[in-house]
């Protein structure tokens, strides 16, 4: 048999390499920004159109390239950053693999203009699918401008795989933030569809964090500073009371490179031990400096995972350092922040519940929850629609005096509908065939989810005008996302007076939520959108409805009076799909008489 192995042509090899390096517009952003940093730029501009699907352009004022280098820069394994294998153990640049530009040029229309500082004229190159179509002399400012158009034009499967603009924009902003946080002394500009998203001036670390995440961040930061022979750690952690429900603002930089490390994350979270609510994630911005020879960056094509030689020691140092700083802040709250009284009470006590199981007695009318004055009471001031059981109207009061009459249209509650609440978490109700056990939180999520989905998709959500518009501040990136979701949010009944750089002003809200919940709902939605990655506009609505339902559903641990219990049961079984929560968990379990009988007859 004849030989069958061939060397792949360059453009095919490049396209394969691109599969690893260029996953989405944000990957291109990362590579181009890093090249600008490596070129010694002091000012970097990123221009985006349509979430990077139409255009990604990075302009820097760095060293630029000679005409030959400009052409070579698109060759695979062509780099100015390392010369031999030994250099791999002393990397001080972001790039070194020499494949980013080759990969990008294999899957997009790329145009580069570049000029060395002391030259009169520069070079203009156009390259499409690895083929250079133009190279000419051009008059251009010093530095380099690379624009990438029509990403994945030659790989339809990839292009179709791209997510909604909101999601792709989010990824781009993530990459932008990571690079901008790593280099506070460089100024950055980000424009999306002609709008300025960030204009970050040359500054210090603290100011850069605040410029990115909003002025509220300033008071949250606790400084970290430690030097050892092995490592230096600098940066900030956010005070524990500002921990987030979802992982978000967690940044490690090693030698100015953003990295992901669940191991080091563990060290930091561990240092917060006892200070965080369950399920809360601390925010942090930690800058580690280690000798270049003690790390291996080359274990992952995108270089976001690295290997440390002294991983265990670094873990221990990191944990101790963060713990120490938190302790200092707690004991001696001086200098650049004010004492926050919430820290005076350990978190554990804030959330402590006094759950006492009801005793079973022979009195069939005895409701163990009714007489329990020590529990917080829940009042439904008014119910608009018998079919809409609405937790946003729950007011938790501490004093009996503030009790209000509850009004329900739901009249038919009768003997058969008797329900009991167990551990403020489950409802037990007798049904014809036996009994049903319901998880109150999951059941309510289902009810609200169907309501929201209906109002969003049917497009006739009711909105209530707020007497006084509510201002809520967000980071710029979150504002971008809200802007991208604006139309959908308005479908649900939200009305915005304005959406500006750092804040949204809400003037109308869906009738099913209350004013006090606006911030919570929007924050949760942003978190969920970051995680869920909707693909169609329908799934967009779906994520939204799920998110709203989750934010608003009555929590486990909430006592419900018997009317409230009955309504919950009734509304659950009026749902289209009562048996599962929006996230697919079972909302209830039935036990038939037969099954109950079997329990007692089995012995
Ligand atoms: P790497 O960054 O790993 O070296 P790239 O494909 O990203 O590989 O870039 C190839 C080479 O092109 C770089 O090593 C650098 O010499 C040059 N280059 C790329 N972008 C720029 C830029 N913005 N300014 C100056 N030189 C650049
Ligand atoms: Mg590079």
């Amino acid at each position: 048999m004849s030989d069958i192995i061939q060397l792949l042509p360059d453009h095919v090899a490049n396209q394969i390499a691109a599969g690893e390096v260029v996953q989405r517009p944000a990957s291109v952003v990362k590579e181009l920004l890093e090249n600008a940093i490596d070129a010694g730029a002091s000012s970097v501009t990123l221009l985006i159109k349509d979430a990077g699907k139409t255009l990604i352009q990075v302009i820097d004022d760095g060293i630029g390239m000679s005409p030959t280098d400009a052409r070579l820069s698109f060759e695979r394994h062509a780099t100015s950053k390392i010369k031999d294998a030994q250099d791999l153990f002393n990397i001080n640049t972001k790039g070194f693999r020499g494949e980013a530009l080759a990969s990008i040029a294999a899957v997009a229309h790329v145009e580069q203009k570049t000029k060395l500082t002391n030259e009169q004229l520069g070079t203009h190159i156009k390259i499409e699918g690895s083929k250079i179509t133009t190279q000419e002399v051009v008059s251009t400012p010093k530095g380099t401008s690379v624009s990438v158009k029509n990403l994945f034009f030659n790989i339809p499967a990839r292009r179709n795989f791209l997510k909604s603009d909101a999601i792709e924009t989010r990824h781009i902003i993530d990459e932008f933030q990571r690079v901008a946080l790593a280099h506070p002394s460089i100024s950055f500009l980000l424009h999306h569809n002609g709008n300025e998203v960030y204009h970050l001036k040359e500054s210090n670390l603290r100011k850069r964090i605040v410029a990115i995440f909003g002025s509220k961040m300033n008071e949250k930061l606790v400084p970290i500073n430690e030097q050892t022979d092995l490592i230096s750690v600098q940066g900030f952690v956010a005070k524990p009371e500002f921990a987030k429900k979802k992982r978000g603002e967690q940044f490690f930089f090693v030698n100015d490179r953003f990295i992901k490390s669940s191991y080091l994350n563990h060290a930091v979270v561990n240092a917060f031990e006892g200070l965080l609510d369950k399920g809360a994630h601390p925010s942090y911005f930690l800058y580690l400096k280690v000798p270049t020879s003690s790390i291996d960056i080359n274990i992952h094509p995108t270089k976001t995972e690295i290997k440390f030689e002294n991983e265990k020691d670094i873990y221990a140092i990191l944990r101790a350092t963060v713990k120490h700083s938190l302790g200092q802040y707690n004991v001696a709250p001086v200098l650049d922040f004010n004492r926050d009284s919430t820290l005076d009470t350990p978190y554990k006590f804030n959330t402590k519940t006094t759950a006492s199981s009801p005793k079973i007695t022979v009195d069939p009318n005895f409701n163990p929850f009714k007489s329990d004055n020590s529990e917080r009471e829940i009042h439904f001031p008014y119910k608009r629609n018998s079919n809409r059981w609405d937790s946003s109207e729950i007011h938790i009061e501490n004093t009996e005096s503030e009790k209000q009459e509850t009004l329900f249209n739901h009249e038919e509650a009768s003997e058969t509908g008797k329900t009991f609440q167990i551990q403020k978490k489950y409802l037990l109700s007798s049904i014809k065939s036996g009994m049903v056990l319901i998880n109150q939180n999951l059941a309510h999520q289902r009810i609200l989810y169907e309501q929201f989905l209906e109002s969003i998709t049917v497009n006739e959500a009711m909105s209530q005008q707020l007497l006084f518009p509510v201002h809520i501040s967000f980071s710029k990136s979150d504002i971008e996302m809200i802007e991208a979701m604006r139309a959908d949010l308005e479908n649900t009944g939200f009305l915005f007076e304005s959406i500006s750089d750092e804040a949204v002003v809400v003037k109308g809200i869906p009738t099913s939520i209350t004013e006090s919940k606006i911030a919570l709902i929007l924050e949760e939605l942003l978190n969920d959108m970051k995680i869920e990655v909707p693909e169609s506009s329908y799934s967009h609505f779906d994520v939204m409805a799920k998110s709203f339902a989750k934010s608003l559903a009555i929590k486990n641990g909430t006592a419900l009076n018997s009317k409230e219990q009955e309504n919950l049961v009734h509304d659950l079984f009026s749902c289209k799909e009562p048996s599962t929560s929006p996230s697919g968990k079972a909302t209830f379990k039935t036990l038939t008489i037969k099954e109950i009988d079997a329990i007692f007859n089995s012995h």
Side-chain angles (χ1 to χ4, degrees):
M1 206 173 134
S2 58
D3 298 338
I4 52 171
I5 297 180
Q6 304 180 355
L7 279 179
L8 288 174
D10 271 356
H11 69 275
V12 180
N14 285 342
Q15 200 163 321
I16 291 171
E20 281 197 319
V21 181
V22 187
Q23 260 129 31
R24 53 175 10 126
S27 329
V28 174
V29 167
K30 172 180 191 289
E31 295 297 338
L32 296 186
L33 289 178
E34 291 190 347
N35 279 347
I37 306 287
D38 284 344
S42 58
S43 161
V44 180
T45 298
L46 170 61
L47 306 175
I48 299 293
K49 276 203 188 117
D50 304 324
K53 295 169 186 173
T54 309
L55 173 75
I56 300 160
Q57 183 171 13
V58 171
I59 305 160
D60 69 53
D61 59 357
I63 56 171
M65 282 174 268
S66 70
T68 315
D69 280 356
R71 195 172 183 117
L72 264 179
S73 69
F74 291 105
E75 295 289 327
R76 204 148 58 97
H77 307 310
T79 180
S80 56
K81 297 168 194 173
I82 59 171
K83 294 199 168 57
D84 54 36
Q86 201 49 40
D87 289 346
L88 277 174
F89 302 100
N90 184 23
I91 287 173
N92 291 303
T93 50
K94 307 275 169 215
F96 56 85
R97 296 167 60 111
E99 58 188 6
L101 286 183
S103 299
I104 295 166
V107 296
H109 296 155
V110 178
E111 208 171 320
Q112 183 186 63
K113 286 183 185 169
T114 186
K115 187 176 83 74
L116 291 169
T117 311
N118 296 322
E119 296 293 328
Q120 287 296 315
L121 291 169
T123 309
H124 180 194
I125 289 179
K126 281 191 191 173
I127 177 165
E128 297 180 357
S130 296
K131 281 199 188 65
I132 293 190
T133 58
T134 308
Q135 172 157 9
E136 57 196 16
V137 174
V138 73
S139 165
T140 181
K142 85 165 189 133
T144 305
S145 159
V146 180
S147 58
V148 176
K149 291 182 185 157
N150 309 322
L151 184 63
F152 299 135
F153 77 97
N154 51 357
I155 317 179
R158 272 281 167 123
R159 194 160 173 97
N160 296 336
F161 183 74
L162 293 178
K163 308 289 194 232
S164 69
D165 281 7
I167 297 295
E168 295 300 343
T169 305
R170 177 69 239 173
H171 284 287
I172 288 174
I173 289 174
D174 281 347
E175 294 296 353
F176 177 87
Q177 287 180 346
R178 291 165 183 176
V179 176
L181 283 170
H183 299 278
S185 59
I186 298 176
S187 76
F188 289 91
L189 200 64
L190 167 57
H191 280 212
H192 187 204
N193 293 336
N195 300 320
E196 181 183 293
V197 181
Y198 282 116
H199 186 175
L200 305 171
K201 304 209 170 68
E202 170 190 352
S203 65
N204 62 27
L205 184 50
R206 185 178 196 119
K207 283 193 189 141
R208 178 57 55 92
I209 294 171
V210 171
I212 291 178
F213 293 101
S215 45
K216 274 193 184 167
M217 185 55 96
N218 195 29
E219 50 167 318
K220 301 182 185 175
L221 300 176
V222 178
I224 305 284
N225 207 333
E226 179 69 271
Q227 315 276 341
T228 72
D229 292 346
L230 222 54
I231 186 172
S232 92
V233 186
Q234 280 189 320
F236 299 91
V237 297
K239 296 175 195 173
E241 64 265 37
F242 297 111
K244 300 242 160 182
K245 279 209 185 121
K246 301 274 161 55
R247 276 162 172 244
E249 292 151 6
Q250 300 188 330
F251 297 89
F252 282 119
F253 301 91
V254 174
N255 298 355
D256 297 336
R257 181 191 302 279
F258 170 83
I259 60 135
K260 294 177 182 159
S261 167
S262 51
Y263 185 68
L264 295 186
N265 174 64
H266 192 267
V268 176
V269 171
N270 213 295
F272 275 82
E273 198 187 343
L275 295 170
L276 293 175
D277 271 338
K278 215 174 154 226
H281 299 280
S283 300
Y284 54 79
F285 310 87
L286 292 169
Y287 294 72
L288 284 52
K289 292 251 157 73
V290 295
T292 49
S293 58
S294 75
I295 49 171
D296 183 357
I297 305 164
N298 200 21
I299 55 170
H300 196 267
T302 61
K303 298 162 283 189
T304 45
E305 282 159 48
I306 68 173
K307 241 192 157 84
F308 294 91
E309 198 175 84
N310 311 300
E311 206 173 45
K312 286 202 175 117
D313 299 325
I314 291 175
Y315 182 102
I317 293 168
L318 197 58
R319 181 173 174 275
T321 306
V322 173
K323 217 179 163 84
H324 178 74
S325 296
L326 283 171
Q328 280 213 320
Y329 145 72
N330 208 355
V331 178
V334 279
L335 297 175
D336 48 0
F337 32 75
N338 299 319
R339 186 169 183 77
D340 191 318
S341 59
T342 49
L343 255 202
D344 293 340
T345 319
Y347 264 72
K348 281 181 186 151
F349 292 107
N350 286 348
T351 53
K352 202 175 146 196
T353 52
T354 45
S356 55
S357 331
K359 287 205 183 71
I360 297 167
T361 75
V362 285
D363 178 358
N365 294 320
F366 175 71
N367 179 342
F369 304 98
K370 235 174 204 161
S371 54
D372 193 351
N373 290 334
S374 69
E375 303 294 350
R376 292 172 155 198
E377 292 269 341
I378 291 167
H379 309 289
F380 291 70
Y382 179 66
K383 194 136 180 6
R384 256 180 236 105
N385 178 335
S386 66
N387 208 17
R388 309 240 143 159
W389 198 96
D390 185 351
S391 80
S392 58
E393 307 225 313
I394 295 178
H395 296 278
I396 298 180
E397 315 284 1
N398 287 313
T399 53
E400 287 283 289
S401 61
E402 281 172 303
K403 250 187 188 168
Q404 280 172 282
E405 243 328 285
T406 58
L407 296 174
F408 282 91
N409 304 341
H410 189 70
E411 233 76 67
E412 71 271 20
S414 64
E415 293 268 304
T416 49
K418 196 145 269 160
T419 55
F420 291 97
Q421 194 184 26
I422 299 167
Q423 299 269 347
K424 290 191 260 170
K425 199 168 169 186
Y426 301 107
L427 303 181
L428 183 65
S429 183
S430 106
I431 51 173
K432 265 200 198 121
S433 62
M435 66 184 206
V436 59
L437 193 59
I438 298 169
N439 178 305
Q440 66 187 39
N441 171 262
L442 296 175
H444 197 209
Q445 282 193 36
R446 161 57 61 183
I447 296 165
L448 293 173
Y449 168 69
E450 291 199 3
Q451 287 173 8
F452 276 118
L453 207 55
E454 191 188 310
S455 65
I456 299 172
T457 49
V458 173
N459 224 342
E460 53 180 28
M462 301 272 284
S463 185
Q464 53 182 350
Q465 294 271 334
L466 296 173
L467 206 50
F468 302 103
V470 174
H471 288 245
I472 310 166
S473 14
F474 287 102
S475 66
K476 284 192 175 172
S477 58
D478 284 347
I479 295 272
E480 266 293 289
M481 278 199 84
I482 291 177
E483 186 68 72
M485 293 188 291
R486 183 176 192 151
D488 294 341
L489 282 167
E490 286 176 347
N491 265 353
T492 72
F494 276 96
L495 285 174
F496 297 97
E497 187 171 286
S498 65
I499 298 182
S500 67
D501 261 11
E502 288 215 333
V504 298
V505 181
V506 181
K507 65 174 181 186
I509 51 177
T511 48
S512 47
I513 74 169
T514 50
E515 207 174 314
S516 60
K517 296 258 172 140
I518 301 172
L520 173 96
I521 286 183
L522 291 178
E523 268 161 28
E524 287 279 301
L525 178 64
L526 289 166
N527 279 326
D528 289 338
M529 294 299 277
K530 287 171 203 167
I531 291 165
E532 281 248 5
V533 205
E535 286 178 36
S536 62
S537 62
Y538 176 78
S539 57
H540 219 99
F541 294 149
D542 194 62
V543 174
M544 225 174 221
K546 272 186 194 161
S547 174
F548 287 176
K550 210 170 49 181
S551 309
L552 291 172
I554 40 160
K555 304 284 177 280
N556 290 332
T558 309
L560 301 177
N561 68 30
S562 49
K563 278 288 184 200
E564 293 158 358
Q565 296 172 26
E566 281 158 22
N567 275 280
L568 185 64
V569 176
H570 173 269
D571 288 351
L572 175 64
F573 291 105
S574 310
C575 281
K576 284 191 190 128
E577 282 178 51
S579 58
T580 53
S581 75
S583 54
K585 293 182 189 147
T587 51
F588 67 86
K589 167 108 182 94
T590 53
L591 262 185
T592 62
I593 276 294
K594 267 193 189 159
E595 288 167 316
I596 299 171
D597 286 346
I599 296 172
F600 297 102
N601 292 332
S602 59
H603 297 291

